Amino acid sequence: MLVYIIRRILMLIPILILMSMVAFFLIELPPGDWVSTRITQLEMSGVQVSADEAARLIAQYGLDKPMPVRYWRWVEGIVMRGNWGFSMQWNKPVNEILAERVPMTIVISLSALLLSWIVAIPIGIYSATHQYSFLDYVFTILGFIGVATPGFLLALILAWVLFAKFGFSMLGLYSREYLEAPWSFAKFLDLLKHIWLPLILVGMGNTAGTIRVVRNNLLDELNKQYVIAARSKGLSEWKLLLKYPVRLAINPLLSTVSFILPGLVSGSVLIDIVLSLQTTGPVLLRATLAQDMYLAGSIVLILSALTVVGALLGDLLLIVVDPRIRFGRAEK
Amino acid sequence: MSSQTPIAIPQTPEAPPETIIEPGKAATDERYYYASQWQLIRWRFSRHKAAVVSIVLLVILYILAIFAEFFSPYTPDTRFEGYQSAPPTPIHWIKPNGGGFGPYVFDTVRELDKETFKYIYQPDETKVLPIHFFVHAEPYKLLGLIRTDIHLFGVKEGRVLLFGSDRLARDVFTRTLFGARISLSIGLVGVFISFVLGVLLGGISGYFGGVVDDVIQRVIDFLLAIPGLPLWMTLSAALPRDWPTLKLYFAITVILSILGWTGLARVVRGKMLALREEDYTLAARGAGASAWRIITRHLLPGFTSHLIVSITFNIPGMILSETALSFIGVGIQPPAVSWGTLLQDAQNLTAVAQQTWLMIPALFVIGTVLLFNFVGDGLRDAADPYAR
């Protein structure tokens, strides 16, 4: 068992290395190099850059070295010193920009995932136990629309409706007075007032999908003989349902985390941009538009790495909750 | 899609059992067998009413896009000086003073509101402008070939703005039709590229197995683990801004396909793994058929219907991705028109609150995506011989 877990964790390393290469490729992609862009930028704002200064910048970023060396320096900086490079657009180290935004992205993605489960599982159970009932049809149709409707367009439409009809702006995560304020209970409450819309929108597609999965799995389980046996022994319907078939039906949800997360993160980046939330999404957009590649590459790497780690956690959690997998692996 | 009436179906015979095909006369019998399979699929599909309606609507949308010059009264760049952000012109039917029946619009007059300093547009009910069909207006080349100046409808004087105008005073209806070109076609082109990659790599992976399979599967695992949008954004932002639209269009399609092929490859590989163990594959191998021939001749036809279903479900994803990228400004660049670039105007909430009609392209995107999903659903039910 332990061997399996260790192997899974070790397998992360090559994936993360590959991801860092992709991110570095992105950083190196735009024509021209960082320093010459920076110099033009400085010159455009009226600062004269001397040849010495230029040479110093080039040496600092190792642009006179070949690409593998540059890659190594970049990775070394991240791993050894936690230095993600410098954003020329913000004129700040990347770390400082992302310090508060990355956790917010994690919070939104994870809460959206949990929320979608909390909503979808009871609905799925209801739909399966009341198959072909009126509400079952309603949920099926809603689910179908939910899967197909693009979150970011719905975000656009909802933000507009809320703004035009009720006059309040759902843009951002905080009201203006809390924007720069330190964390307090009042700020937290203010956050709760804003965060529900992105959570619903980000989780919408997954909610609809989960309803289908739970419904189908539960329908399969309900026809099995152990259910009939338990019922004939006089177990109350609720206890029977929740204790056996439901547990089996929702187990696979954990194993789907690994392919739900990338979509969830993608969706939240877009929705965050539309609602201009204080997360990584809007920063990534501005960085890409300005070709601020250190920032953009870092965000791509961070988001990808978090996704993989999240997927791994999902798989490990599955081992914890599912004895079949736990003991099945242990016997080997 | 099919000329079959639903009444004809009720008791459709099941597909003949596979044993009917004998290796000796495979060529003729196979063709017959597949024909009946497609027939079955068509029958089952036509029973799915929502899917049939959806496919008709989609065909109409694509026709509108292909012949956008004809169906739109203006060109996407026509500007109506003095009519910035004008609301849609409502169409009336019964003419005043017993003028008869027929579509017409009122002329629009613009006034400056002295208090808010905003322009307000009022219909001038004294001026009736009948809508003419097949009118001569701005010349264009139909399909890039036929020189003509006939538009489906238009007014002789004044203007008809079905979806209003944008802040540069261009007709939103015309632009929506022209935008459909890029938005609708990128789905097809992108899925085509993904399809070629997916079938090729998935096929190789599934047929040969071993190390090749392992490598391809790890690559797919890796690509599937990356959140697509951040990667697409960064890649397309790195494209030179001064590229011509066509080049940009293909570059973005390729970028979207980088991750798009993985799902299809998975489907192909899974089916390939299952089918290569079948006796008829063994027989073909025994008869000395090459790997290429076995794959294309014996294996691929076995799951074409599944492929078509996967493709149908992939198209709306591609359309959405393009819309999303263009919408946030890293995809197709203005002056080129796509639904995404049209929606850029809708990013500003205060603007949209006053000019609701700027949201219309969003409805087209959502509608198209829903239609494709309905069609995909119908096809999946129809293509699965073991359904119910």
Side-chain angles (χ1 to χ4, degrees):
Chain A
M1 192 65 257
L2 206 63
V3 176
Y4 170 75
I5 295 175
I6 291 172
R7 211 181 58 214
R8 280 300 308 268
I9 293 173
L10 284 181
M11 265 167 59
L12 264 189
I13 295 171
I15 293 182
L16 289 178
I17 291 176
L18 253 179
M19 279 177 172
S20 70
M21 286 177 173
V22 171
F24 187 72
F25 170 73
L26 293 176
I27 291 174
E28 297 265 313
L29 199 55
D33 59 65
W34 195 88
V35 168
S36 49
T37 322
R38 174 90 181 133
I39 289 170
T40 13
Q41 198 187 32
L42 283 174
E43 273 170 357
M44 262 159 62
S45 58
V47 183
Q48 276 304 317
V49 182
S50 65
D52 280 0
E53 181 76 358
R56 197 186 59 78
L57 274 174
I58 287 173
Q60 186 186 341
Y61 286 93
L63 288 174
D64 46 349
K65 307 250 170 33
M67 192 163 156
V69 178
R70 291 202 300 271
Y71 168 74
W72 179 247
R73 286 174 69 134
W74 181 66
V75 171
E76 194 199 17
I78 294 171
V79 178
M80 306 305 285
R81 280 167 273 129
N83 171 13
W84 289 83
F86 189 83
S87 157
M88 51 169 167
Q89 184 197 2
W90 296 63
N91 219 349
K92 266 196 217 170
V94 170
N95 310 33
E96 276 178 42
I97 304 163
L98 297 183
E100 219 176 275
R101 288 171 180 259
V102 168
M104 218 54 224
T105 299
I106 301 177
V107 166
I108 288 188
S109 304
L110 281 187
S111 323
L113 182 66
L114 289 179
L115 183 76
S116 68
W117 281 346
I118 293 172
V119 175
I121 292 174
I123 293 179
I125 295 175
Y126 179 89
S127 277
T129 48
H130 299 74
Q131 200 187 3
Y132 303 134
S133 66
F134 172 70
L135 273 182
D136 180 28
Y137 279 117
V138 171
F139 288 134
T140 307
I141 293 169
L142 279 182
F144 189 83
I145 295 171
V147 166
T149 311
F152 77 100
L153 287 182
L154 202 63
L156 194 65
I157 293 174
L158 278 183
W160 158 61
V161 169
L162 288 172
F163 180 77
K165 300 277 175 259
F166 305 103
F168 55 83
S169 159
M170 284 306 293
L171 301 185
L173 276 175
Y174 317 101
S175 307
R176 196 164 298 149
E177 61 267 32
Y178 291 109
L179 213 51
E180 298 293 326
W183 277 102
S184 64
F185 188 64
K187 185 173 180 177
F188 178 69
L189 283 184
D190 184 59
L191 175 67
L192 286 187
K193 252 186 260 168
H194 288 83
I195 208 172
W196 59 271
L197 184 66
L199 286 191
I200 292 175
L201 289 167
V202 173
M204 181 184 63
N206 188 44
T207 311
T210 309
I211 293 177
R212 274 194 199 181
V213 172
V214 172
R215 179 179 181 273
N216 293 346
N217 286 347
L218 192 55
L219 279 175
D220 282 350
E221 289 298 327
L222 285 177
N223 288 326
K224 289 198 174 150
Q225 296 203 332
Y226 72 87
V227 177
I228 302 169
R231 196 173 286 144
S232 63
K233 283 173 78 179
L235 204 57
S236 78
E237 196 63 22
W238 265 107
K239 204 170 169 189
L240 159 71
L241 192 68
L242 292 182
K243 194 135 193 214
Y244 306 107
V246 167
R247 278 171 69 187
L248 282 165
I250 62 178
N251 236 337
L253 292 185
L254 278 177
S255 65
T256 57
V257 170
S258 52
F259 54 85
I260 287 172
L261 267 187
L264 216 61
V265 172
S266 279
S268 92
V269 165
L270 252 185
I271 289 167
D272 294 358
I273 290 173
V274 175
L275 299 176
S276 44
L277 304 185
Q278 285 77 15
T279 62
T280 46
V283 181
L284 175 61
L285 175 64
R286 276 199 279 160
T288 52
L289 286 177
Q291 296 209 336
D292 183 1
M293 294 322 263
Y294 270 100
L295 186 53
S298 303
I299 295 178
V300 171
L301 178 57
I302 292 174
L303 290 181
S304 312
L306 284 174
T307 312
V308 194
V309 173
L312 175 71
L313 289 180
D315 282 358
L316 294 182
L317 214 57
L318 186 68
I319 300 175
V320 175
V321 297
D322 195 333
R324 290 173 304 179
I325 295 176
R326 198 159 61 226
F327 293 115
R329 299 273 183 194
E331 274 161 24
K332 270 184 195 165
Chain B
M1 181 189 184
S2 135
S3 57
Q4 292 290 335
T5 51
I7 309 142
I9 0 148
Q11 250 67 63
T12 43
E14 278 302 314
E18 293 188 0
T19 45
I20 280 184
I21 315 162
E22 287 164 281
K25 41 175 182 168
T28 51
D29 272 346
E30 241 175 24
R31 217 171 299 148
Y32 165 75
Y33 176 67
Y34 290 132
S36 84
Q37 174 73 9
W38 289 114
Q39 193 82 58
L40 280 173
I41 290 178
R42 254 185 6 225
W43 284 334
R44 286 203 214 95
F45 185 80
S46 62
R47 247 189 295 182
H48 201 301
K49 289 285 173 298
V52 176
V53 173
S54 303
I55 213 164
V56 171
L57 289 177
L58 277 179
V59 168
I60 292 176
L61 264 178
Y62 273 90
I63 291 176
L64 284 177
I66 294 171
F67 301 105
E69 289 99 342
F70 170 71
F71 288 107
S72 55
Y74 307 108
T75 74
D77 302 316
T78 314
R79 294 191 184 192
F80 299 96
E81 278 312 316
Y83 285 86
Q84 286 90 349
S85 306
T89 1
I91 293 185
H92 306 274
W93 291 88
I94 298 163
K95 288 177 186 161
N97 313 326
F101 183 78
Y104 69 93
V105 294
F106 289 120
D107 197 12
T108 324
V109 283
R110 185 172 75 158
E111 283 164 25
L112 186 65
D113 188 324
K114 294 268 162 38
E115 281 172 27
T116 59
F117 286 102
K118 275 179 189 153
Y119 285 110
I120 37 176
Y121 295 92
Q122 296 283 357
D124 175 7
E125 304 217 347
T126 56
K127 256 185 156 176
V128 169
L129 310 171
I131 292 179
H132 297 279
F133 289 96
F134 302 104
V135 288
H136 294 275
E138 281 147 299
Y140 60 91
K141 269 185 166 179
L142 195 66
L143 295 174
L145 296 171
I146 309 155
R147 196 175 280 284
T148 174
D149 62 351
I150 296 175
H151 294 252
L152 178 66
F153 69 94
V155 284
K156 295 255 164 74
E157 49 175 329
R159 67 234 107 234
V160 50
L161 305 166
L162 285 187
F163 293 172
S165 69
D166 63 7
R167 86 197 129 76
L168 292 177
R170 297 170 297 193
D171 179 24
V172 176
F173 175 74
T174 302
R175 292 172 66 75
T176 307
L177 288 194
F178 276 84
R181 282 195 170 162
I182 287 182
S183 295
L184 290 178
S185 67
I186 215 158
L188 298 185
V189 179
V191 163
F192 177 74
I193 299 176
S194 310
F195 171 77
V196 172
L197 276 173
V199 169
L200 207 67
L201 292 169
I204 292 171
S205 184
Y207 187 80
F208 294 105
V211 184
V212 188
D213 183 29
D214 273 346
V215 171
I216 294 179
Q217 288 314 305
R218 290 298 82 76
V219 171
I220 293 181
D221 281 343
F222 175 69
L223 290 177
L224 281 177
I226 301 181
L229 198 91
L231 185 70
W232 291 330
M233 276 168 69
T234 332
L235 278 176
S236 44
L239 299 172
R241 295 294 149 84
D242 49 358
W243 272 12
T245 306
L246 196 67
K247 210 167 162 190
L248 204 60
Y249 172 93
F250 279 109
I252 285 169
T253 324
V254 169
I255 288 175
L256 292 180
S257 307
I258 292 176
L259 298 185
W261 64 274
T262 49
L264 272 167
R266 277 271 154 96
V267 176
V268 173
R269 174 178 175 269
K271 288 284 159 192
M272 209 68 125
L273 278 178
L275 291 182
R276 74 168 184 186
E277 303 302 326
E278 295 284 335
D279 285 345
Y280 65 81
T281 318
L282 195 65
R285 206 174 297 141
S290 65
W292 176 253
R293 188 179 160 80
I294 294 179
I295 292 179
T296 53
R297 193 84 193 129
H298 301 285
L299 299 182
L300 268 183
F303 55 93
T304 321
S305 53
H306 286 264
L307 278 183
I308 293 175
V309 174
S310 316
I311 287 173
T312 318
F313 279 117
N314 269 338
I315 296 173
M318 285 275 173
I319 294 178
L320 270 183
S321 305
E322 183 276 321
T323 308
L325 288 179
S326 306
F327 167 68
I328 58 180
V330 293
I332 304 287
Q333 299 294 330
V337 214
S338 84
W339 287 343
T341 59
L342 289 180
L343 282 174
Q344 282 181 2
D345 291 343
Q347 265 178 347
N348 183 343
L349 275 192
T350 18
V352 185
Q354 273 148 23
Q355 300 148 35
T356 324
W357 53 93
L358 292 180
M359 276 303 216
I360 293 174
L363 300 182
F364 274 78
V365 178
I366 295 177
T368 309
V369 171
L370 270 175
L371 292 178
F372 267 111
N373 273 288
F374 275 123
V375 173
D377 231 38
L379 279 177
R380 185 178 51 201
D381 290 353
D384 187 0
Y386 306 107
R388 264 156 277 151

